[in-house]
Coordinates of all heavy atoms in Angstrom, one line a residue:
K270 N 6.8 -76.1 -106.6 CA 8.2 -76.4 -106.4 C 8.5 -77.2 -105.1 O 8.8 -78.3 -105.1 CB 9.1 -75.1 -106.5 CG 9.1 -74.5 -107.9 CD 10.1 -73.4 -108.0 CE 10.1 -72.8 -109.4 NZ 11.0 -71.6 -109.5
D271 N 8.5 -76.5 -104.0 CA 8.9 -77.1 -102.7 C 7.8 -77.6 -101.8 O 8.1 -78.1 -100.7 CB 9.8 -76.2 -101.9 CG 9.1 -74.9 -101.5 OD1 8.0 -74.7 -102.0 OD2 9.7 -74.1 -100.8
K272 N 6.5 -77.5 -102.3 CA 5.5 -78.0 -101.4 C 4.3 -78.4 -102.3 O 4.1 -77.9 -103.4 CB 5.1 -77.0 -100.4 CG 4.4 -75.7 -101.0 CD 4.0 -74.8 -99.8 CE 3.4 -73.5 -100.4 NZ 3.1 -72.5 -99.4
L273 N 3.5 -79.3 -101.7 CA 2.2 -79.7 -102.3 C 1.1 -79.3 -101.3 O 1.2 -79.4 -100.1 CB 2.1 -81.3 -102.4 CG 2.9 -81.9 -103.5 CD1 2.9 -83.4 -103.4 CD2 2.3 -81.5 -104.9
S274 N 0.1 -78.7 -101.8 CA -1.0 -78.2 -101.0 C -2.4 -78.7 -101.5 O -2.6 -78.8 -102.7 CB -1.1 -76.6 -101.0 OG 0.2 -76.1 -100.5
I275 N -3.3 -78.9 -100.6 CA -4.6 -79.3 -101.0 C -5.6 -78.7 -99.9 O -5.2 -78.6 -98.7 CB -4.8 -80.9 -101.1 CG1 -6.1 -81.2 -101.7 CG2 -4.6 -81.5 -99.7 CD1 -6.2 -82.7 -102.1
L276 N -6.8 -78.3 -100.3 CA -7.7 -77.7 -99.4 C -8.8 -78.8 -99.1 O -9.4 -79.4 -100.0 CB -8.4 -76.5 -100.0 CG -7.5 -75.2 -100.1 CD1 -8.2 -74.2 -100.9 CD2 -7.2 -74.7 -98.7
I277 N -9.0 -79.1 -97.8 CA -10.0 -80.0 -97.4 C -11.2 -79.3 -96.8 O -11.0 -78.4 -95.9 CB -9.5 -81.0 -96.3 CG1 -8.2 -81.7 -96.8 CG2 -10.5 -82.0 -95.9 CD1 -8.4 -82.7 -97.9
G278 N -12.4 -79.5 -97.4 CA -13.6 -78.9 -96.9 C -14.4 -79.8 -96.0 O -14.7 -81.0 -96.4
I279 N -14.8 -79.4 -94.8 CA -15.6 -80.2 -93.9 C -16.9 -79.5 -93.6 O -16.8 -78.3 -93.1 CB -14.9 -80.6 -92.6 CG1 -13.6 -81.3 -92.9 CG2 -15.7 -81.5 -91.7 CD1 -12.7 -81.5 -91.7
V280 N -18.0 -80.1 -93.8 CA -19.3 -79.5 -93.4 C -19.8 -80.4 -92.3 O -19.9 -81.6 -92.4 CB -20.3 -79.5 -94.6 CG1 -21.7 -79.0 -94.1 CG2 -19.8 -78.6 -95.7
C281 N -20.2 -79.7 -91.2 CA -20.7 -80.5 -90.0 C -21.7 -79.7 -89.2 O -21.8 -78.5 -89.4 CB -19.5 -80.9 -89.1 SG -18.5 -79.5 -88.5
K282 N -22.3 -80.4 -88.2 CA -23.1 -79.8 -87.2 C -22.5 -80.0 -85.9 O -21.9 -81.0 -85.6 CB -24.5 -80.4 -87.2 CG -25.3 -80.2 -88.5 CD -26.6 -81.0 -88.4 CE -27.4 -80.9 -89.7 NZ -28.7 -81.6 -89.7
A283 N -22.5 -78.9 -85.0 CA -21.9 -79.0 -83.7 C -22.9 -78.5 -82.7 O -23.6 -77.6 -82.9 CB -20.6 -78.2 -83.7
S284 N -22.8 -79.2 -81.5 CA -23.7 -78.8 -80.4 C -22.9 -79.0 -79.1 O -22.0 -79.8 -79.0 CB -25.0 -79.5 -80.4 OG -24.7 -80.9 -80.2
T285 N -23.3 -78.3 -78.1 CA -22.8 -78.5 -76.7 C -23.9 -78.9 -75.8 O -25.1 -78.6 -76.0 CB -22.1 -77.2 -76.1 OG1 -23.1 -76.2 -76.1 CG2 -21.0 -76.7 -77.0
R286 N -23.6 -79.7 -74.8 CA -24.6 -80.3 -73.9 C -24.0 -80.3 -72.5 O -22.9 -80.8 -72.3 CB -25.0 -81.7 -74.4 CG -26.1 -82.3 -73.5 CD -26.5 -83.7 -74.0 NE -27.0 -83.7 -75.3 CZ -27.4 -84.8 -76.0 NH1 -27.3 -86.0 -75.4 NH2 -27.8 -84.7 -77.2
L287 N -24.8 -79.9 -71.6 CA -24.5 -80.0 -70.1 C -24.9 -81.4 -69.6 O -25.9 -81.9 -70.0 CB -25.3 -78.9 -69.3 CG -24.7 -77.5 -69.3 CD1 -25.7 -76.6 -68.7 CD2 -23.4 -77.5 -68.5
G288 N -24.1 -81.9 -68.7 CA -24.4 -83.2 -68.1 C -23.6 -84.4 -68.7 O -22.4 -84.2 -69.0

Side-chain angles (χ1 to χ4, degrees):
K270 291 185 179 180
D271 60 351
K272 67 180 179 181
L273 285 170
S274 300
I275 191 168
L276 291 169
I277 305 292
I279 302 171
V280 175
C281 60
K282 296 177 184 177
S284 62
T285 60
R286 183 181 298 179
L287 279 166

